[in-house]
Amino acid sequence: SNAGQTRLKAGDVTRDGTISPRFSCFPGWEISSLEPCQTPTRNLAMKISETLLKQNVRNGMIHYFEWVSSKNSILDYQTKVPIAFVAAEIFESWHDVHFNSDINWYSEPVFSTKEKYEIEKFIATLEIASVNTDVMIFPLEEILETKVVIDLIHCAESALTVFQKRGEFSNDIEQF
């Protein structure tokens, strides 16, 4: 039975061709193999505190910002994972780490006021870029040269700079 399992898709492979760390950033994920289309399982009965969940989401955001803030990283990912539709993943992968649509959920002590502001700013910039980018028509190299995507990359750089001041938190132990 596949109950309680999530199927890997192209975006679940890291830029170096291994299984994405976003699965390891949520406690309870188990990856049994690096075979294509491997299904990681999550113990759905496992409960974690909201603080620990926020720490994991925060770490996922840092990893996302590290990727999207660099044209070279984006292009490198396209080269290493040719099955991935990278232009769309720039937009869709955000939803893997943007866990809660209520901006107030991103609160202290896990998210600083400045980090929360960067999240809000990034969401607004992502929405503008998403509406104004036809990822189905242009090659990735052309998309990366559009004003809205350049703005998105700069916004990710800004967010990454702010998040890096406090760095990543433990995925397993509450730090607050």
Side-chain angles (χ1 to χ4, degrees):
S1 164
N2 285 340
Q5 295 184 348
T6 301
R7 191 103 174 127
L8 289 178
K9 58 186 185 300
D12 301 331
V13 180
T14 65
R15 286 159 275 304
D16 68 359
T18 60
I19 299 294
S20 173
R22 73 173 161 236
F23 287 112
S24 62
C25 79
F26 293 99
W29 283 105
E30 299 171 3
I31 306 291
S32 60
S33 157
L34 295 180
E35 295 298 316
C37 297
Q38 180 64 32
T39 302
T41 58
R42 169 123 168 80
N43 178 351
L44 297 178
M46 181 181 196
K47 297 195 187 263
I48 64 171
S49 71
E50 185 171 274
T51 298
L52 190 57
L53 177 60
K54 286 180 180 184
Q55 288 175 198
N56 281 268
V57 169
R58 184 180 188 284
N59 292 346
M61 286 183 171
I62 291 171
H63 294 203
Y64 174 83
F65 291 140
E66 287 171 340
W67 174 51
V68 175
S69 66
S70 167
K71 284 184 188 178
N72 288 337
S73 291
I74 294 168
L75 292 169
D76 188 48
Y77 179 46
Q78 177 179 255
T79 301
K80 290 182 178 175
V81 188
I83 64 166
F85 192 49
V86 179
E89 286 192 33
I90 293 169
F91 301 100
E92 296 303 321
S93 292
W94 172 249
H95 302 291
D96 294 337
V97 296
H98 180 238
F99 185 80
N100 194 316
S101 61
D102 178 7
I103 194 64
N104 293 318
W105 186 82
Y106 302 93
S107 60
E108 293 183 346
V110 178
F111 294 92
S112 72
T113 303
K114 288 180 181 179
E115 291 165 347
K116 181 179 170 183
Y117 170 75
E118 290 295 328
I119 293 168
E120 287 180 294
K121 187 172 73 170
F122 186 80
I123 291 168
T125 305
L126 181 71
E127 288 176 7
I128 291 167
S130 179
V131 167
N132 291 291
T133 304
D134 189 347
V135 298
M136 303 304 286
I137 294 176
F138 299 105
L140 179 61
E141 293 78 5
E142 288 182 32
I143 289 172
L144 293 176
E145 296 303 321
T146 63
K147 181 185 180 332
V148 291
V149 174
I150 290 170
D151 290 347
L152 182 70
I153 290 169
H154 290 306
C155 195
E157 289 172 344
S158 175
L160 181 60
T161 299
V162 170
F163 273 77
Q164 284 179 329
K165 288 181 181 166
R166 297 193 311 148
E168 291 186 38
F169 298 139
S170 172
N171 285 327
D172 303 311
I173 300 167
E174 284 188 26
Q175 292 188 239
F176 301 98

